[in-house]
Amino acid sequence: MDTSGLPEPLRARIAEREARSTIEKARSLLQGYVPDSDGSDEIREELLTTARYNTYFLRQELTALETVLTEDLPNGTLFRMVSIDASWPLDDDPTDAGAAVFLRQFAGWVRAAIDQAENEKRH
Protein backbone atom coordinates (compact mmCIF):
# COMPACT_ATOMS: atom_id res chain seq x y z
CA MET A 1 0.00 0.00 0.00
CA ASP A 2 1.41 3.36 -1.02
CA THR A 3 0.96 5.64 1.98
CA SER A 4 3.15 8.49 0.75
CA GLY A 5 0.20 10.81 0.15
CA LEU A 6 -1.32 10.28 3.58
CA PRO A 7 -0.83 12.52 6.62
CA GLU A 8 1.94 11.39 8.98
CA PRO A 9 -0.37 10.28 11.83
CA LEU A 10 -2.26 7.98 9.46
CA ARG A 11 0.98 6.61 7.96
CA ALA A 12 2.25 5.91 11.47
CA ARG A 13 -0.96 4.08 12.39
CA ILE A 14 -0.77 1.95 9.25
CA ALA A 15 2.89 1.11 9.95
CA GLU A 16 1.99 0.19 13.52
CA ARG A 17 -0.78 -2.16 12.36
CA GLU A 18 1.48 -3.77 9.77
CA ALA A 19 4.25 -4.33 12.34
CA ARG A 20 2.07 -6.40 14.69
CA SER A 21 2.99 -10.04 15.22
CA THR A 22 1.09 -12.77 13.44
CA ILE A 23 -0.82 -13.76 16.57
CA GLU A 24 -1.69 -10.11 17.30
CA LYS A 25 -3.11 -9.70 13.80
CA ALA A 26 -5.17 -12.88 14.14
CA ARG A 27 -6.45 -11.83 17.56
CA SER A 28 -7.32 -8.38 16.23
CA LEU A 29 -9.37 -9.90 13.44
CA LEU A 30 -11.35 -11.97 15.92
CA GLN A 31 -11.78 -9.09 18.35
CA GLY A 32 -13.02 -6.83 15.59
CA TYR A 33 -15.85 -9.02 14.34
CA VAL A 34 -16.91 -11.74 16.74
CA PRO A 35 -17.41 -10.65 20.40
CA ASP A 36 -20.37 -8.30 20.03
CA SER A 37 -22.07 -10.15 17.21
CA ASP A 38 -25.42 -11.88 17.30
CA GLY A 39 -24.03 -14.91 15.49
CA SER A 40 -22.46 -16.03 12.28
CA ASP A 41 -24.82 -14.16 9.94
CA GLU A 42 -23.98 -10.82 11.51
CA ILE A 43 -20.25 -11.63 11.48
CA ARG A 44 -20.39 -12.43 7.76
CA GLU A 45 -22.35 -9.22 7.05
CA GLU A 46 -19.81 -7.10 8.94
CA LEU A 47 -16.91 -8.77 7.14
CA LEU A 48 -18.55 -8.11 3.78
CA THR A 49 -19.20 -4.47 4.69
CA THR A 50 -15.52 -4.05 5.53
CA ALA A 51 -14.38 -5.91 2.41
CA ARG A 52 -16.54 -3.70 0.21
CA TYR A 53 -14.73 -0.69 1.62
CA ASN A 54 -11.16 -2.04 1.73
CA THR A 55 -9.57 -5.48 1.93
CA TYR A 56 -6.01 -4.45 2.77
CA PHE A 57 -6.02 -5.23 6.49
CA LEU A 58 -8.56 -8.03 6.13
CA ARG A 59 -6.10 -9.82 3.86
CA GLN A 60 -3.21 -9.28 6.26
CA GLU A 61 -5.21 -10.53 9.20
CA LEU A 62 -6.60 -13.50 7.26
CA THR A 63 -3.08 -14.52 6.30
CA ALA A 64 -2.07 -14.20 9.95
CA LEU A 65 -4.99 -16.35 11.09
CA GLU A 66 -4.20 -19.02 8.51
CA THR A 67 -0.56 -18.96 9.64
CA VAL A 68 -1.54 -19.30 13.30
CA LEU A 69 -3.58 -22.37 12.39
CA THR A 70 -0.46 -24.05 10.98
CA GLU A 71 1.95 -23.14 13.77
CA ASP A 72 2.93 -25.27 16.73
CA LEU A 73 1.57 -23.09 19.53
CA PRO A 74 1.52 -23.60 23.29
CA ASN A 75 -1.37 -25.72 24.50
CA GLY A 76 -4.50 -23.64 25.03
CA THR A 77 -3.56 -20.80 22.67
CA LEU A 78 -6.29 -21.42 20.10
CA PHE A 79 -8.84 -22.10 22.81
CA ARG A 80 -8.02 -18.76 24.47
CA MET A 81 -8.18 -16.94 21.14
CA VAL A 82 -11.70 -18.19 20.55
CA SER A 83 -13.08 -18.16 24.09
CA ILE A 84 -11.43 -14.93 25.28
CA ASP A 85 -10.54 -12.79 22.24
CA ALA A 86 -13.63 -13.76 20.27
CA SER A 87 -15.93 -14.52 23.24
CA TRP A 88 -17.26 -17.42 21.17
CA PRO A 89 -18.63 -20.41 23.07
CA LEU A 90 -16.98 -23.76 22.44
CA ASP A 91 -19.60 -25.83 24.23
CA ASP A 92 -19.25 -28.92 22.03
CA ASP A 93 -15.44 -29.11 22.15
CA PRO A 94 -13.69 -26.71 24.56
CA THR A 95 -10.19 -27.60 23.34
CA ASP A 96 -7.63 -26.27 20.90
CA ALA A 97 -9.03 -28.73 18.34
CA GLY A 98 -12.53 -27.34 18.81
CA ALA A 99 -11.19 -23.80 18.56
CA ALA A 100 -9.34 -24.68 15.36
CA VAL A 101 -12.62 -25.83 13.80
CA PHE A 102 -14.20 -22.45 14.55
CA LEU A 103 -11.11 -20.52 13.40
CA ARG A 104 -11.04 -22.37 10.06
CA GLN A 105 -14.74 -21.63 9.60
CA PHE A 106 -14.17 -17.98 10.48
CA ALA A 107 -11.25 -17.79 8.03
CA GLY A 108 -13.61 -19.13 5.36
CA TRP A 109 -16.08 -16.34 6.13
CA VAL A 110 -13.33 -13.74 5.77
CA ARG A 111 -12.14 -15.26 2.49
CA ALA A 112 -15.73 -15.40 1.17
CA ALA A 113 -16.32 -11.73 2.07
CA ILE A 114 -13.14 -10.67 0.27
CA ASP A 115 -14.02 -12.75 -2.79
CA GLN A 116 -17.59 -11.43 -2.92
CA ALA A 117 -16.50 -7.81 -2.55
CA GLU A 118 -13.93 -8.22 -5.33
CA ASN A 119 -16.45 -9.90 -7.62
CA GLU A 120 -18.88 -7.02 -7.02
CA LYS A 121 -16.19 -4.48 -7.95
CA ARG A 122 -15.48 -6.29 -11.22
CA HIS A 123 -19.13 -6.30 -12.28
Side-chain angles (χ1 to χ4, degrees):
M1 170 186 269
D2 178 20
T3 62
S4 60
L6 298 174
E8 178 54 35
L10 190 52
R11 285 196 317 265
R13 177 68 181 130
I14 290 170
E16 179 183 304
R17 284 188 70 180
E18 289 176 338
R20 296 174 298 166
S21 71
T22 301
I23 195 110
E24 288 171 331
K25 288 177 184 177
R27 291 177 68 211
S28 176
L29 180 62
L30 290 167
Q31 292 167 350
Y33 293 94
V34 182
D36 295 326
S37 72
D38 287 329
S40 60
D41 289 340
E42 183 177 341
I43 293 168
R44 289 192 298 263
E45 287 176 30
E46 292 287 327
L47 288 165
L48 181 57
T49 298
T50 299
R52 284 176 173 150
Y53 178 72
N54 190 322
T55 62
Y56 184 76
F57 286 111
L58 272 182
R59 286 180 180 284
Q60 276 191 7
E61 292 170 344
L62 173 60
T63 298
L65 179 58
E66 292 172 334
T67 299
V68 164
L69 284 166
T70 65
E71 291 179 342
D72 186 24
L73 300 168
N75 190 34
T77 301
L78 297 181
F79 173 76
R80 284 189 301 279
M81 285 178 67
V82 174
S83 64
I84 296 171
D85 296 318
S87 297
W88 191 264
L90 292 171
D91 299 330
D92 294 335
D93 186 2
T95 65
D96 279 341
V101 169
F102 171 76
L103 293 172
R104 283 187 199 94
Q105 182 179 40
F106 179 70
W109 298 341
V110 177
R111 202 173 306 103
I114 291 169
D115 291 346
Q116 182 176 339
E118 288 180 347
N119 284 335
E120 290 173 1
K121 288 178 185 176
R122 284 193 285 265
H123 295 96

